[in-house]
Amino acid sequence: MTYSEINIPQRLIMTPGPVETHPLVQQAMSNRVLGQFDPAFLELMDDLKELIKVPFHTKNEQAFAVDGSGRSGLEAALIALVEEGDKILVPAFGRFALLLAEICERAGGEVILWEKDWEGPFEQADVVAKLEEVQPKILAMVHGETANGQVQAVDEIGAYCQANDVFFMLDCVATYAGVPIHVDDWGVDIAVGGSQKCVSAPAGHSFVTYNARTEEYIQSRYQKELGIGPERNERHIQSNYLDLSQLQRYWSPERINHHTESTVQVYGSHTALRLINEEGAENVWARHSLNDDAIVAGIKAMGLEIFGQEETKMSTVTPVMLPEGVNDAEFRSTLLEEFNVEVAGTFGELSGKAFRIGNMGYSSRKSNVLQLLGAIEAVMIRLGADVTRGEAVQAAMDVYANN
Ligand SMILES: *Cc1c(COP(=O)(O)O)cnc(C)c1O
């Protein structure tokens, strides 16, 4: 049996992840492997820790990568805090909050899942009132909900958590390096981002940062691996691989032996975050916002409806309601086959009724937006939808011209 050489088609990826990688990231990842304790590699790890802090806007000492996709960081963060029987409040305005609830439940926590409709995020005052009522040890929330494209304001919630000894965990996987995040000013104890969304590296790293009080708590649960020392800690973190108390020491000058870090993945994340640092976090956020304005203008000019509250829509995701008679799977496969353009479907209550446009990282650029809008319009017309013709790309071009 022989297999043919891999042949990767060229795509314009406008989904909420994974997105197109920057050519320099791709190039960096084609370099040779180094040993995980090679001084040249350790230098890259140290740089990466600092680069990770930039999109989080944090002065936290602790920031490092966890191997795996975004949920590896989410799981590591939550199981580092959750002990048997702990109360965790999880307010949900979309799908990913359910993942946080699931992880906490599996870790033996007592989860209070508090769901609202998907149209928009919570009022901060309502979350604070709920915290008063429930008195949880941990509040776990999603910053940007990728399923419905809504973003949650958290500064007042964070202030309450800091004043009342509640650990505040925030899932920033879909917003990290795309939407403004101010971990320190907002009072977030532990935040998580991912590599394959607005960072524009392949999936394989999640990025975690936490403050001093969280570090103290996590380190109170530290247990050496048996191969390193016999001491046991009865409060040890459940997982060995996703144990932040060990991972922190692996990424510190102590360099305790833990997993084998993927050197190639570090080259990729280092390059992607270095490019973001050079562009400047504020400029990166402004670029996503401008391209989002153009997408929204184009979709509206076509006469299509965007799901959810406009004021709280996240700039990195736009859910678009499918018009009468257009089938979700047929629309997306035609777009891919005819134009090489990929958009995403969605989940839960929106499944089959809307599609999602991602506007993330290296994919978030003017030429992509204009091509995307032209392609969507053509496919809509092809499938018999009653859309306004010839206006979408012009509306987007107007947004760019006026900026
Ligand atoms: C994508 C995403 C995740 C899951 O990340 P993976 O990288 O797919 O594991 C979690 N939360 C949010 C908000 C996301 O957008």
Side-chain angles (χ1 to χ4, degrees), residues 168-216:
F168 184 21
M169 181 272 177
L170 194 62
D171 170 354
C172 303
V173 174
T175 48
Y176 180 73
V179 172
I181 298 175
H182 297 274
V183 161
D184 298 353
D185 293 350
W186 292 349
V188 176
D189 288 293
I190 185 161
V192 180
S195 60
Q196 82 275 25
K197 299 197 181 180
C198 304
V199 173
S200 274
H205 263 166
S206 60
F207 307 116
V208 176
T209 187
Y210 48 88
N211 58 15
R213 72 167 181 163
T214 308
E215 176 179 353
E216 189 184 334

Side-chain angles (χ1 to χ4, degrees), residues 69-71 74 96 142 144 146 171 173-174 196-197:
S69 71
R71 69 178 64 202
L74 300 176
F96 280 100
V142 175
T146 326
D171 170 354
V173 174
Q196 82 275 25
K197 299 197 181 180

Side-chain angles (χ1 to χ4, degrees), residues 99-353:
L99 171 62
L100 306 184
E102 160 101 19
I103 293 168
C104 292
E105 190 185 283
R106 287 182 184 229
E110 185 199 321
V111 176
I112 297 111
L113 178 61
W114 182 40
E115 294 188 78
K116 75 179 282 299
D117 65 73
W118 285 21
E119 289 282 336
F122 286 86
E123 291 295 336
Q124 294 201 68
D126 293 347
V127 177
V128 168
K130 192 75 177 177
L131 284 164
E132 288 276 353
E133 177 199 323
V134 173
Q135 305 266 323
K137 170 177 152 184
I138 300 157
L139 170 68
M141 285 193 92
V142 175
H143 183 221
E145 267 287 358
T146 326
N148 46 340
Q150 292 285 316
V151 65
Q152 174 72 53
V154 298
D155 55 329
E156 292 163 31
I157 295 169
Y160 176 90
C161 289
Q162 296 310 310
N164 292 277
D165 266 336
V166 177
F167 281 115
F168 184 21
M169 181 272 177
L170 194 62
D171 170 354
C172 303
V173 174
T175 48
Y176 180 73
V179 172
I181 298 175
H182 297 274
V183 161
D184 298 353
D185 293 350
W186 292 349
V188 176
D189 288 293
I190 185 161
V192 180
S195 60
Q196 82 275 25
K197 299 197 181 180
C198 304
V199 173
S200 274
H205 263 166
S206 60
F207 307 116
V208 176
T209 187
Y210 48 88
N211 58 15
R213 72 167 181 163
T214 308
E215 176 179 353
E216 189 184 334
Y217 183 82
I218 290 174
Q219 288 305 334
S220 74
R221 304 184 69 184
Y222 176 57
Q223 174 175 293
K224 285 180 185 157
E225 227 170 81
L226 271 177
I228 301 179
E231 309 89 332
R232 304 289 83 192
N233 181 341
E234 60 182 28
R235 290 177 49 241
H236 69 260
I237 293 166
Q238 276 187 339
S239 167
N240 175 318
Y241 194 70
L242 295 176
D243 176 353
L244 291 183
S245 74
Q246 291 187 72
L247 284 168
Q248 179 189 316
R249 289 158 188 261
Y250 175 76
W251 281 85
S252 78
E254 199 180 323
R255 311 269 179 215
I256 65 155
N257 203 341
H258 189 251
H259 66 289
T260 305
E261 183 56 28
S262 163
T263 51
V264 169
Q265 192 74 34
V266 169
Y267 307 156
S269 293
H270 185 288
T271 304
L273 285 165
R274 176 180 63 77
L275 291 166
I276 286 164
N277 187 48
E278 267 162 34
E279 186 177 350
E282 276 76 10
N283 295 329
V284 170
W285 297 335
R287 170 166 53 83
H288 284 86
S289 174
L290 174 63
N291 289 325
D292 179 56
D293 288 348
I295 291 169
V296 168
I299 292 297
K300 284 185 176 168
M302 235 179 276
L304 296 177
E305 186 198 335
I306 294 171
F307 175 84
Q309 281 176 202
E310 194 162 340
E311 326 76 76
T312 48
K313 195 188 87 65
M314 170 159 64
S315 63
T316 52
V317 184
T318 302
V320 182
M321 299 308 292
L322 285 157
E324 256 327 284
V326 174
N327 173 275
D328 176 39
E330 189 182 13
F331 166 69
R332 287 188 289 123
S333 64
T334 309
L335 200 61
L336 190 71
E337 282 159 23
E338 302 291 334
F339 290 89
N340 272 313
V341 172
E342 188 188 4
V343 295
T346 192
F347 314 101
E349 60 185 66
L350 288 178
S351 185
K353 296 189 192 138

